[in-house]
Amino acid sequence: MNKYLPYILGSLLLGAVLVLFATGSNNKKRKLDERITLRRQDKIPYGTYVAYRNLKYQFPEASIYTNKYEPGYWDSLSSYDSKQALIVVCDRFSPDEEEMKKMVSFSENGNDVFICARYISAAADKILVCNSSTIDFSFIQVEDLQKNMRISLNAPPFDKNETYGYPGKTFNSYFSAIDSSTTDVLGKDERGRPDFIRLRAGKGNFYVHTEPLAFSNYFILHKNNIEYYEKVLSVIKPDVKKVVWDEYYLNKRFRQTPKNKSWLAVLFSYPALKAALLTAIFTLLLYVLLEMRRKQRYIPVITKPRNDSLDFVKTIGRLYYDKGDHKNLCRKMGAYFLEHVRNKYKLPTGLLDDEFVKSLQYKSGAEESEIRGIVSFIKYLDDAVVIKNNQLTDFHKQLESFYKKT
């Protein structure tokens, strides 16, 4: 036994060293979770768990709720009562004109609406009489975002001008144009561009912030940035009785809303017809399963072809945008628009005159003024020397509106 003891001890020592080495290597492989979810349940750096949980301390006299329904169909808010607040923190704030009118009406009755999003739709820009800077290039990845955000609050209305920052990601969004007669600037980015504004609506207020990462766990917990969070939300009326954290625009995926029921929902509203349909579906499913049992055979897995052309378009678009070559990017967007018109509406695009505009308006159903704006800008590209960022933004939003309507 004694002669085997050195071997046993050596084996145990070697095993301990291997375990320590494996544990150390695993620790080195751990990486920061850089996903940007902005969800209240997520405790990762770019979730909003801390912001949501601190609402009860920011508004101790108010009841805190969450909402997943579109404006006008809220289950926790009343469109006719006052002393309520709606807080929306999301990546894309994309309401249509009808949804915006409902939120404005809600605010006019003595309520506050607080929007924090890096992208604001054209319909929202129009009603808020402002122009946000961000283009919806959904192919831009998290790795492409800048770092080291620095934002500040204005005095007044806050007690002093103070800058807050952190070494994390930033969308770098701002307002390129606002109506100073109806809009108050409450905060700016590090270049002095407005990123936090207030608009009065009747007895209430409409607040819009363009840097949602300022509500992320990472930003709030960095140094004294909790002070920024508290000051920003302090603009909401202190006597508010109900605060609702909205998740509708965070999860919006062109879903069907209660106002537009599908034909299947209408059929299922009749009990007898519902029972008949379910019986027919069950019978058909049983028949299919029995047939599969008889004739089932091995089906090989076919890999979905990769869309290399789409990857190429995304790469070229990101290249032009990153280099600031807005004119060439606008040319590409214009060429794609004309190709779309030729393929879908079978219209020649060699001569962009009044006859072309009227023909496209007749076939697509879009407004004539909208089509004229797109055509005029495409013609303008031939003579323009430089295309500015706001011109690129406006052109993109015009095209986006046209594609959605047609």
Side-chain angles (χ1 to χ4, degrees), residues 31 81 124-125 162 236 276 364 384:
K31 294 182 179 179
D81 294 339
D125 273 352
E162 188 167 353
I236 296 176
S364 66

Side-chain angles (χ1 to χ4, degrees), residues 128-142:
L128 296 175
V129 195
C130 65
N131 190 10
S132 55
S133 67
T134 304
I135 302 174
D136 183 25
F137 284 132
S138 56
F139 55 81
I140 295 180
Q141 303 298 320
V142 176

Side-chain angles (χ1 to χ4, degrees), residues 201-229:
K203 299 178 182 178
N205 299 283
F206 218 103
Y207 301 96
V208 187
H209 198 298
T210 60
E211 187 51 86
L213 294 182
F215 282 75
S216 67
N217 302 325
Y218 188 3
F219 181 86
I220 293 177
L221 296 178
H222 184 73
K223 295 185 178 180
N224 66 330
N225 287 349
I226 186 69
E227 181 180 310
Y228 180 86
Y229 165 85

Side-chain angles (χ1 to χ4, degrees), residues 119-130:
Y119 172 80
I120 300 174
S121 69
D125 273 352
K126 180 179 179 181
I127 291 180
L128 296 175
V129 195
C130 65

Side-chain angles (χ1 to χ4, degrees), residues 39-102:
R39 296 188 179 278
R40 62 182 175 87
Q41 306 94 332
D42 292 345
K43 299 180 181 181
I44 60 177
Y46 298 111
T48 54
Y49 178 83
V50 176
Y52 174 75
R53 297 292 294 180
N54 275 276
L55 289 178
K56 60 183 178 181
Y57 303 108
Q58 186 74 12
F59 305 101
E61 303 298 325
S63 301
I64 310 298
Y65 300 92
T66 58
N67 170 68
K68 296 183 179 180
Y69 302 101
E70 69 172 88
Y73 293 89
W74 298 305
D75 56 357
S76 303
L77 292 174
S78 170
S79 299
Y80 307 101
D81 294 339
S82 60
K83 296 184 179 180
Q84 304 172 100
L86 176 68
I87 300 176
V88 182
V89 179
C90 60
D91 175 35
R92 299 181 76 257
F93 180 60
S94 54
D96 55 28
E97 187 173 348
E98 184 178 351
E99 291 173 353
M100 277 301 299
K101 288 181 178 179
K102 289 181 180 179

